[in-house]
């Protein structure tokens, strides 16, 4: 009897304990956001002119990363000793960059002081020459950034763009230019006196593609050119009948992807630079234009009119019409889809509220976000090399008959950092080097 | 000789009446029982289906991303203003018992599903004749009064955000089916509430650190307790995660899973 009772009790208890088992649900919160940290560039008793310029370039560079760094005015901290960590901590600083300039030729030394770790976490030296002061300052800036964050910054990147500066109504033309990401150091690349459209810069930053519409009354064929940035020599790459436009460099060496219309309507092809042979990628009765390829070369985004309205599609560029997938389903007129460097986001412009605005969507079609609003008509988005920024052209109306287009930079979340071109005619189609 | 008492008609009618009425009652009882069972199954399937259906708002976003972030921040402030004054003057609110009373209160209000609300909105006509308009307006205003401000804001957010894909989650077979699905669904709303507070300085990011925190929530979403069940090894990382949890305004768990939420069945992984 007792054993029976014992058995029953243990049975009941064990079933109870089973039901009371911890069924924990684990939820992933995800990666943390980078906290905005206060940083300041201190240089005691700085009198050297070049040194002052370097310091201001460093401060300007870091101020682009608004969400990561808050650049503080160094005058509040110049009095302290460079190892007075308690003072810095009280002031809320996370990093203090101690700059010193000495010698002839000038050598700049930057010591990164990590306040929370109470010590110097890195030190960089750079010779500064007046002729390419900005380039060297940007290199130093990138070294500091990379030492703190661990990744390359945008400080050494370039933006190519098309501008009509200097052209008149009687003699209109658009030429290709290149500038630093911060809008300085603008240099002219082409001098065809025609209309340059659809530029692209190679991944190594050494070559540039562009299409040209020649001026004059001759029959207009849009031809493709490739230019070597070191020699500034351009050569004709494709002059097939019709369009030879929207070319982008493929990560595969020696290949470009472009839109050709010699076989009827506009389709996308992969072309070899040396053999000039073209391999067809899309086949549809509707026009397929505006190719954009991710850095790995595994995904191609393009604009297609096959559903009736221009919509964004992705495909695998290794085969004809391979894995074609529709990405956008709404929007009256979508244009210029561009991959971010990792290939998981597509920025594009779309017609909404009587103007174009920049939108961002994941490559699988989820997460559609509007990035610009009430900011003029915004087109041609291009991602920065670290995927954190988007440069685009924005049109502002000045008067009833006048409007101007300039290039702006914003974060990938739609916070505008600032205007990059000014007083340089109409600057359009920016392309950021990757 | 005993005379056989022949049963009269009265006797038979009485007995048959009783037997027939019992049979009818039995029949009705069985069919009613079947109906209840059927309805239960139907409702279960419906709730399962509604949780596994993806809802896309198919329209271009009206608000830009910076505007949405501002909206979320402002909403958070408004929600905070509503909840905070309640917390201080009534110390009773800290005990889970008061939470149960809270549940009772909400049960009396009829709960409207999102589909019903959308139907209501679509029923409202736009630009009809004056007479009809006044009638419909009355109807509309009555209907709107029933919807809480919170639900209205939720709908507004959905329209503003545009093309936001609402995840259909469940169809899990294990661990008690329906309630596990609801707990999972609720838990997946939590990261959105925590993420704005979850920030790290650059020297802690990309270090592959991971910690897990178990949270105990009251029925109105208040954090009762939080404990680190898995440490990352870096005390600052753990403290920042704890701080993010303590600063977060959690959503209120649905009644069916409030017990599990209070029991600490939800574990948050930083980052996973």
């Amino acid at each position: 009897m007792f054993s029976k009772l014992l058995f029953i009790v243990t049975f009941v208890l064990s079933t109870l304990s089973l039901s009371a088992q911890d069924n924990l649900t684990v939820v992933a919160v995800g990666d943390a956001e980078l906290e905005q940290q206060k940083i300041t560039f201190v240089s005691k008793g700085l009198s050297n002119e070049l040194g002052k310029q370097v310091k201001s370039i460093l401060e300007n560079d870091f101020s682009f990363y608004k969400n990561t760094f808050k650049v503080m005015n160094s005058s509040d901290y110049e009095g302290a000793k460079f190892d007075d960590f308690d003072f810095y901590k009280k002031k809320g600083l996370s990093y203090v960059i101690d700059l010193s300039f000495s010698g002839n030729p000038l050598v700049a030394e930057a010591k990164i002081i990590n306040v929370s770790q109470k010590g110097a976490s890195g030190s960089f030296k750079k010779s500064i020459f007046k002729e390419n002061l900005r380039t060297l300052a940007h290199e130093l800036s990138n070294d500091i950034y990379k030492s703190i964050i661990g990744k390359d910054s945008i400080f050494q990147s370039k933006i190519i763009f098309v501008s009509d500066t200097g052209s008149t109504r009687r003699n209109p033309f658009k030429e290709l230019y290149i500038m630093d990401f911060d809008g300085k150091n603008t240099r002219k690349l082409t001098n065809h006196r025609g209309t340059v459209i659809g530029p692209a810069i190679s991944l190594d930053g050494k070559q540039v593609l562009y299409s040209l519409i020649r001026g004059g009354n001759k029959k207009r064929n849009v031809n493709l050119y490739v230019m070597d940035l070191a020699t500034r020599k351009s050569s004709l790459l494709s002059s097939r009948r019709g369009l030879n436009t929207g070319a982008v460099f493929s990560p595969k060496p020696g290949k470009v992807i472009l839109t050709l219309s010699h076989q009827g309507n506009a389709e996308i092809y992969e072309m070899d630079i040396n053999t000039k042979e073209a391999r067809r990628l899309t086949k549809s009765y509707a026009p397929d234009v505006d190719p954009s390829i991710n850095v790995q070369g595994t995904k191609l985004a393009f604009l297609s009119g096959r559903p009736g309205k221009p919509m964004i599609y992705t495909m695998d560029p290794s085969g004809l019409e391979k894995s074609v997938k529709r990405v956008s389903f709404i929007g009256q007129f979508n244009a210029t889809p561009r991959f971010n460097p990792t290939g998981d986001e597509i920025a594009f412009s779309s017609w909404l509220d009587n103007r174009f605005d920049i939108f961002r969507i994941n490559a699988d079609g989820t997460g559609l976000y509007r990035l610009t609003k009430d900011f003029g008509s915004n087109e041609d988005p291009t991602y920065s090399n670290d995927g954190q920024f988007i440069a685009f052209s924005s049109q502002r109306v000045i008067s009833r008959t006048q409007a101007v287009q300039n290039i702006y930079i914003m974060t990938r979340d739609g916070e505008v950092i600032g205007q990059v071109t000014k007083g340089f005619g109409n600057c359009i189609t920016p392309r950021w080097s990757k | 000789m005993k005379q056989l008492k022949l049963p009269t008609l009265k006797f038979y009618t009485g007995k048959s009446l009783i037997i027939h009425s019992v049979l009818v009652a039995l029949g009705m009882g069985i069919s009613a029982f079947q109906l209840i069972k059927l309805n239960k199954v139907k409702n279960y399937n419906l709730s399962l289906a509604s949780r596994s259906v993806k809802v896309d708002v198919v329209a271009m976003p009206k608000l830009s991303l910076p505007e949405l972030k501002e909206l979320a921040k402002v909403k958070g402030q408004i929600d905070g203003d509503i909840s905070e004054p309640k917390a201080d003057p009534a110390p009773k609110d800290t005990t889970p018992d008061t939470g149960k009373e809270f549940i009772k209160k909400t049960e009396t209000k009829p709960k409207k599903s999102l589909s019903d609300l959308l139907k209501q909105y679509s029923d409202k006509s736009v630009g009809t004749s004056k007479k009809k308009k006044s009638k419909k307006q009355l109807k509309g205003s009555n209907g709107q009064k029933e919807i809480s401000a919170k639900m209205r804001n939720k709908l507004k957010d959905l329209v503003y955000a545009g093309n936001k894909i609402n995840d259909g989650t469940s169809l899990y077979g294990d661990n008690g089916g329906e309630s596990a699905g609801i707990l999972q669904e609720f838990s997946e709303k939590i990261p959105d509430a925590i993420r704005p507070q979850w920030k790290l300085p650059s020297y802690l990011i990309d270090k592959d650190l991971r910690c897990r925190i178990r949270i105990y929530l009251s029925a109105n979403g208040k954090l009762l307790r939080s404990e680190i069940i898995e440490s990352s090894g870096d005390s600052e990382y753990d403290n920042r995660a704890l701080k993010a949890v303590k600063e977060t305004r959690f959503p209120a768990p649905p009644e069916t899973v409030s017990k599990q939420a209070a029991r600490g069945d939800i574990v948050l992984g930083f980052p996973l």
Side-chain angles (χ1 to χ4, degrees), chain A residues 160-162 176 196-199 379-380 393 407 427-431:
Chain A
I160 57 170
F161 64 100
V162 169
L176 189 62
V196 171
I197 59 171
E379 302 174 76
D380 279 319
S393 71
I407 296 173
C427 304
I428 56 171
T429 64
R431 299 281 183 266

Side-chain angles (χ1 to χ4, degrees), chain B residues 169-185:
Chain B
T169 54
S170 44
L171 290 187
Y172 301 120
D174 53 323
N175 289 342
E178 185 170 347
S179 68
I182 298 181
L183 184 67
Q184 186 85 20
E185 197 185 341

Side-chain angles (χ1 to χ4, degrees), chain A residues 361-411:
Chain A
I361 194 171
N362 295 329
D364 59 5
T366 59
L368 173 64
Y369 287 110
R370 181 176 188 168
L371 298 181
T372 59
K373 194 179 173 186
D374 296 332
F375 202 70
S377 188
N378 310 295
E379 302 174 76
D380 279 319
T382 176
Y383 272 94
S384 64
N385 53 319
D386 65 352
Q388 297 297 314
F389 300 92
I390 297 175
F392 59 102
S393 71
S394 185
Q395 184 183 55
R396 297 300 153 79
V397 172
I398 305 176
S399 69
R400 207 158 47 86
T401 50
Q402 255 197 321
V404 71
Q405 289 170 296
N406 272 308
I407 296 173
Y408 291 73
I409 289 182
M410 64 179 173
T411 65

Side-chain angles (χ1 to χ4, degrees), chain A residues 28-226:
Chain A
V29 174
D31 289 321
E33 218 182 280
L34 200 54
E35 196 182 47
Q36 194 193 47
Q37 296 160 91
K38 289 193 181 159
I39 190 172
T40 186
F41 295 84
V42 177
S43 187
K44 289 200 240 305
L46 180 60
S47 57
N48 187 302
E49 261 317 304
L50 296 185
K52 283 191 192 161
Q53 283 182 46
V54 170
K55 178 161 175 263
S56 93
I57 290 171
L58 294 182
E59 287 175 334
N60 192 38
D61 282 356
F62 273 79
S63 66
F64 270 79
Y65 284 92
K66 274 185 16 197
N67 294 326
T68 319
F69 292 113
K70 189 167 181 191
V71 182
M72 310 299 288
N73 195 328
S74 63
S75 50
D76 298 332
Y77 317 103
E78 302 245 328
K81 280 202 291 187
F82 80 93
D83 55 356
D84 192 349
F85 303 112
D86 294 322
F87 172 70
Y88 291 139
K89 197 156 189 180
K90 219 179 353 165
K91 292 281 185 178
L93 288 171
S94 303
Y95 293 97
V96 176
I97 313 295
D98 190 41
L99 294 168
S100 53
F101 300 91
S102 57
N104 193 3
L106 193 67
V107 171
E109 184 175 354
K111 252 191 278 209
I112 305 169
I113 298 168
N114 189 324
V115 175
S116 61
Q117 288 176 4
K118 298 204 175 173
S121 63
S123 151
F124 296 97
K125 274 201 179 126
K126 203 142 214 103
S127 306
I128 304 290
F129 300 104
K130 195 170 176 196
E131 301 81 56
N132 53 350
L133 179 98
R134 296 199 73 91
T135 315
L136 294 165
H138 286 313
E139 277 175 26
L140 182 64
S141 197
N142 189 42
D143 288 336
I144 299 171
Y145 180 89
K146 199 165 179 181
S147 157
I148 296 176
I149 300 288
K151 285 187 276 210
D152 269 317
S153 65
I154 57 173
F155 304 148
Q156 290 182 286
S157 59
K158 309 262 184 234
I159 298 179
I160 57 170
F161 64 100
V162 169
S163 171
D164 65 355
T165 183
S167 72
T168 58
R169 197 171 285 177
R170 265 235 240 129
N171 194 15
F173 58 85
K174 289 189 182 164
E175 304 286 7
L176 189 62
Y177 295 80
I178 188 170
M179 63 181 178
D180 291 348
F181 80 100
D182 56 2
K184 304 281 196 292
N185 235 351
T186 313
R187 289 188 317 267
K188 194 173 185 184
L189 292 178
T190 62
N191 201 8
H192 295 289
R193 296 252 145 190
T195 305
V196 171
I197 59 171
I201 187 164
S202 64
L203 285 165
D204 57 11
K206 295 199 177 133
Q207 287 179 307
V208 159
L209 288 167
Y210 60 92
S211 301
L212 180 68
I213 305 174
R214 285 222 178 261
N217 294 325
K218 288 187 256 177
K219 186 171 175 198
R220 289 177 170 206
N221 203 50
V222 191
N223 295 328
L224 182 67
Y225 289 80
V226 62

